[in-house]
Amino acid sequence: MIVDRGLTQAPALNWAALEPAFDILCPMHLRLTHTGHIVHVAPTLKKMRADIDLIGKRFLEVFRLDRPRSVKSMGELTQRARSKLHLELRDEPFTALKGVLVQLPDGQGALVNMSFGISVVEGVQDYGLNSADFAATDLAIEMLYLVEAKSAAMDASRNLNHRLQGAKLAAEEQAATDTLTGLKNRRAADHILAAALAEDSEFSLMNLDLDFFKSVNDTQGHAAGDYVLQEVAKVMRAETRKGDMIARVGGDEFMFLIDGLTKKEKLLEIANRLIRGIEKPIAFEQTQCHISASIGIAMRSRGDSEGLDALMLCSDRALYASKSKGRACATFFEELDEET
């Protein structure tokens, strides 16, 4: 008897025995019965729903089918075998997935293989996945490495930019600061005054000169002089407002921009506090350093046409008037006679 082997029915495949291999090749697949019930869940999908037992649930109860929208039942879904499916998990975080369904022979149900598609980065972050959760041939792994490399490069670039910006700001601050006293320097003062004039701001300009400072340097040395300047700077910060500019513009010469204030009574009050504070003896090593301060004040109102040089000349003339009066006092330019 001759048997036609081509017509002999092949034995049914044991899908349960094949599933370990499928889990490696397709770690995001499901096996369904012909009724759409889940009978096997691949390891990555298990990890994504570790708190839910998907076995026995209907496929369309776990996943919402976004496309094709016309599909409402498992029978309709099997008719769309091999078509691209757009799915979304019905539970938070409502992950979007791509899939394809393939019918198994002999009515043994169907396999649905899935992937994240372009949402792979969000999927990895949401579920704490790593390369072991994907097939070795999945291009998502290379994409993840590229994303990780790009992220690391961007972090490094941001850190570098922050450091460069910080260094730039530090350099700019250093360029505008008097290194001995920590006050603004002449360059910074000129810039701030020019900006105030350009904005047509109302302010007062004080010029302050230390009296008898040269004597401290000559008799007690430059170390004593430097210490006195640092102590004077502390008095100046304490007796002026936080937003006022204080600058050391010469060896013992200082400049103040008192923003928004042109009332003589208030300005004289500030000037007198400065004079009293600076007149207090300053102890250095075993000696006492005695100095005082003379101040000239010029006020600037909105709409005034004087430029920076003219305004500084006014405060200088008022300062020299204070020196002529005997020092340790303040004079307003507006109070000078024409002959002064």
Side-chain angles (χ1 to χ4, degrees):
M1 178 178 177
I2 300 174
V3 178
D4 186 347
R5 296 186 182 274
L7 298 177
T8 303
Q9 186 175 5
L13 292 175
N14 184 351
W15 288 102
L18 295 173
E19 276 163 358
F22 270 86
D23 286 348
I24 295 172
L25 295 173
C26 307
M28 288 182 67
H29 84 275
L30 297 170
R31 184 161 63 90
L32 313 177
T33 66
H34 69 281
T35 59
H37 289 83
I38 300 171
V39 292
H40 177 75
V41 182
T44 301
L45 285 176
K46 279 184 181 178
K47 188 173 183 178
M48 291 168 59
R49 283 296 181 266
D51 57 338
I52 300 174
D53 184 7
L54 298 181
I55 301 297
K57 293 185 178 294
R58 289 183 180 273
F59 178 76
L60 292 178
E61 291 175 348
V62 177
F63 297 90
R64 184 175 70 248
L65 197 60
D66 287 337
R67 278 187 284 173
R69 293 185 182 276
S70 58
V71 173
K72 303 298 181 183
S73 66
M74 189 61 196
E76 293 174 348
L77 183 59
T78 54
Q79 292 176 10
R80 296 287 188 136
R82 302 178 183 271
S83 298
K84 186 175 182 180
L85 307 175
H86 292 253
L87 308 162
E88 184 178 85
L89 284 163
R90 292 184 181 273
D91 298 323
E92 291 185 353
F94 307 114
T95 304
L97 298 165
K98 304 294 185 293
V100 62
L101 179 144
V102 178
Q103 286 185 280
L104 299 177
D106 302 320
Q108 296 186 68
L111 290 180
V112 181
N113 192 34
M114 286 175 277
S115 70
F116 289 104
I118 62 173
S119 62
V120 62
V121 176
E122 290 83 356
V124 168
Q125 292 172 345
D126 289 341
Y127 301 108
L129 304 181
N130 55 54
S131 59
D133 297 307
F134 295 86
T137 55
D138 194 336
L139 292 178
I141 300 300
E142 295 183 20
M143 180 179 173
L144 289 173
Y145 286 137
L146 290 174
V147 169
E148 185 176 348
K150 180 182 177 182
S151 177
M154 290 180 69
D155 287 342
S157 177
R158 280 194 293 269
N159 291 335
L160 177 60
N161 285 336
H162 288 158
R163 291 198 299 271
L164 290 175
Q165 186 67 18
K168 179 184 176 183
L169 292 174
E172 289 175 350
E173 182 65 23
Q174 185 176 5
T177 302
D178 175 61
T179 55
L180 178 63
T181 63
L183 303 175
K184 300 295 185 186
N185 59 21
R186 183 58 183 260
R187 176 185 175 187
D190 288 346
H191 177 77
I192 293 169
L193 284 168
L197 287 171
E199 294 172 3
D200 195 22
S201 299
E202 182 178 77
F203 62 88
S204 294
L205 182 65
M206 285 188 184
N207 271 14
L208 183 151
D209 190 79
L210 298 181
D211 306 319
F212 314 113
F213 178 74
K214 185 176 183 300
S215 175
V216 172
N217 267 340
D218 292 344
T219 60
Q220 295 170 246
H222 288 288
D226 288 349
Y227 181 76
V228 166
L229 289 172
Q230 291 169 338
E231 292 300 300
V232 165
K234 293 178 184 177
V235 173
M236 292 176 175
R237 291 191 187 95
E239 300 301 342
T240 53
R241 303 173 306 177
K242 185 177 181 181
D244 295 333
M245 181 204 75
I246 316 170
R248 183 185 177 206
V249 295
D252 59 353
E253 299 172 15
F254 299 84
M255 184 182 293
F256 300 77
L257 188 151
I258 313 297
D259 188 40
L261 182 59
T262 56
K263 290 184 178 180
K264 288 186 177 181
E265 296 82 4
K266 291 290 185 181
L267 292 168
L268 188 58
E269 183 182 325
I270 294 172
N272 287 334
R273 288 203 309 265
L274 287 167
I275 292 168
R276 288 195 299 269
I278 291 170
E279 279 184 327
K280 293 178 181 179
I282 299 171
F284 178 75
E285 295 181 349
Q286 304 302 317
T287 62
Q288 297 283 330
C289 303
H290 297 274
I291 59 172
S292 63
S294 298
I295 297 175
I297 307 171
M299 296 176 290
R300 197 267 180 192
S301 300
R302 288 188 178 88
D304 287 352
S305 59
E306 291 87 352
L308 179 58
D309 291 340
L311 186 64
M312 293 176 68
L313 179 61
C314 292
S315 61
D316 276 340
R317 289 182 60 189
L319 170 62
Y320 289 124
S322 294
K323 293 277 190 182
S324 299
K325 292 177 185 178
R327 301 184 176 93
C329 63
T331 303
F332 290 90
F333 172 76
E334 289 77 6
E335 296 175 351
L336 297 179
D337 295 331
E338 289 297 328
E339 301 84 16
T340 304

